[in-house]
Structure formats: structure tokens, C-alpha cells
Amino acid sequence: MLLDSNGWFDGIRHCPSPNFNARPSAEISLLVIHNISLPPGQFGTGQVQALFENRLDPTAHPYFAGIADLRVSAHFLIERDGGIVQFVSCRDRAWHAGQSCFEGRENCNDFSLGIELEGTDTLPYSDAQYTALIGLSRRLLRAYPAIGANRIRGHSDIAPGRKTDPGPAFDWPRLLEGLRERGEPS
């Protein structure tokens, strides 16, 4: 998996989202971990992709009626089986963080990359997701050294009181230990 000059990784599925715009600067110094499932608590439905591509059918599930008009995206989604989907070029600003602040700097979308994990705050994430997250994060840290392991945060860290993801089920020590391990990820 290599990052090309346009900010897209090869070797993963691309589902370009219309929900992005140009960054105000080229600096990328934060990685934000999220979770999402649509409908809530259901996995493998394809509805996350539909949301990020503005194709969510508001009549397909009662929950969708309240979110179908949202214009949101993330750079990446890691599915339960470890599959990675890229929606927005790393060079562009995805719309994942919303109203947010990190180290006194507002609008985290301006300087961050967003990774969604298919999941919920309370259900354990899969081994395949951790493997994929560690591999992807290693590559992102190499490509964007200003991020650093100390600048990987949950959505709850940058939008406290508003967001709770990735939630208590997320194993932060597992991610950080995986990033410390030596060797090139597969």
C-alpha cells in the first residue's frame, strides 16, 4: 500500500466522496480515530459508504431519516473484516471532525486525517481492524511525520461533550504498542 502524489493509497478500495474541500494549508499534524455503524450497531450494510457518498436512502431505516441530509466524510473507513476504504485524498480536507479543538487550535478538519472504524463505543473492535489500523497508521505517520504517536486522538478528545467515539471499547494500548513495534507492516 503506497501513498501516491495525489494523496490516494493504492491497494485499497476507493469510493470518492463529494464531501471534502481544499485544506487552508498543507500541514497535516493530527490523526483522529472515529467509529460509525449504520444503522447503529449493524455492520457490513454498506450504508456508511452510502452516507459518505450522499446516497443514503432516508426510507431504508427509520434512523436514516435524521441523517440522510448530512454532508460528512472521512479519509478512511476500516470495516470489521479489516478492509480499508478511502473516501477523500489525504491532501484534501474531509468533513469528519465537525466543531473541534486540539491543543488550542480550532477546526481540526483543517490539519487532520480521519479514520472511521466500523463499530460502536461499547462493542469490541475486531482483530482484523486493529491490524489494518496499525498498518495504515504506520504509513500515515511515515508520510506525515508531524502527526507522531502523541497526536493520534479519538473524536471524543477533540470534541469532548459532543462526541464519545471511538469509545471505551477501543484498545488504545493495543494501537500504541502496535505502532511501537519494529518492522514494515504487511
Side-chain angles (χ1 to χ4, degrees):
M1 190 167 57
L2 295 173
L3 185 64
D4 70 21
S5 62
N6 293 315
W8 291 90
F9 277 100
D10 68 359
I12 61 174
R13 189 166 39 136
H14 296 164
C15 293
S17 172
N19 304 327
F20 72 93
N21 57 356
R23 293 182 187 276
S25 73
E27 176 198 38
I28 297 172
S29 61
L30 179 65
L31 181 59
V32 181
I33 309 296
H34 304 263
N35 75 38
I36 191 169
S37 58
L38 291 176
Q42 295 183 29
F43 309 129
T45 65
Q47 299 304 313
V48 173
Q49 292 89 332
L51 175 67
F52 289 169
E53 295 176 322
N54 301 339
R55 308 182 284 104
L56 190 65
D57 178 358
T59 65
H61 187 276
Y63 183 78
F64 297 168
I67 65 167
D69 291 333
L70 291 177
R71 297 298 174 247
V72 294
S73 62
H75 292 90
F76 304 96
L77 169 68
I78 300 177
E79 298 168 321
R80 300 299 285 187
D81 65 1
I84 302 173
V85 182
Q86 186 171 4
F87 293 94
V88 175
S89 163
C90 293
R91 295 178 63 184
D92 290 318
R93 175 172 45 194
W95 302 342
H96 62 96
Q99 184 179 3
S100 53
C101 182
F102 181 70
E103 295 183 345
R105 189 171 173 194
E106 303 282 333
N107 302 315
C108 293
N109 285 338
D110 292 351
F111 56 96
S112 69
L113 297 170
I115 299 176
E116 293 276 2
L117 297 172
E118 187 177 32
T120 71
D121 287 8
T122 57
L123 293 174
Y125 297 91
S126 71
D127 290 339
Q129 285 179 296
Y130 284 107
T131 299
L133 177 61
I134 290 165
L136 177 60
S137 297
R138 283 183 186 171
R139 285 174 171 84
L140 291 170
L141 269 64
R142 277 197 302 275
Y144 303 100
I147 293 174
N150 63 333
R151 295 181 65 87
I152 301 173
R153 299 300 168 95
H155 199 186
S156 58
D157 297 320
I158 64 166
R162 189 175 71 80
K163 294 294 181 177
T164 59
D165 55 316
F170 186 74
D171 190 344
W172 284 103
R174 183 174 181 176
L175 171 61
L176 297 175
E177 180 62 31
L179 293 175
R180 281 192 289 272
E181 292 175 0
R182 298 266 181 224
E184 183 71 18
S186 60

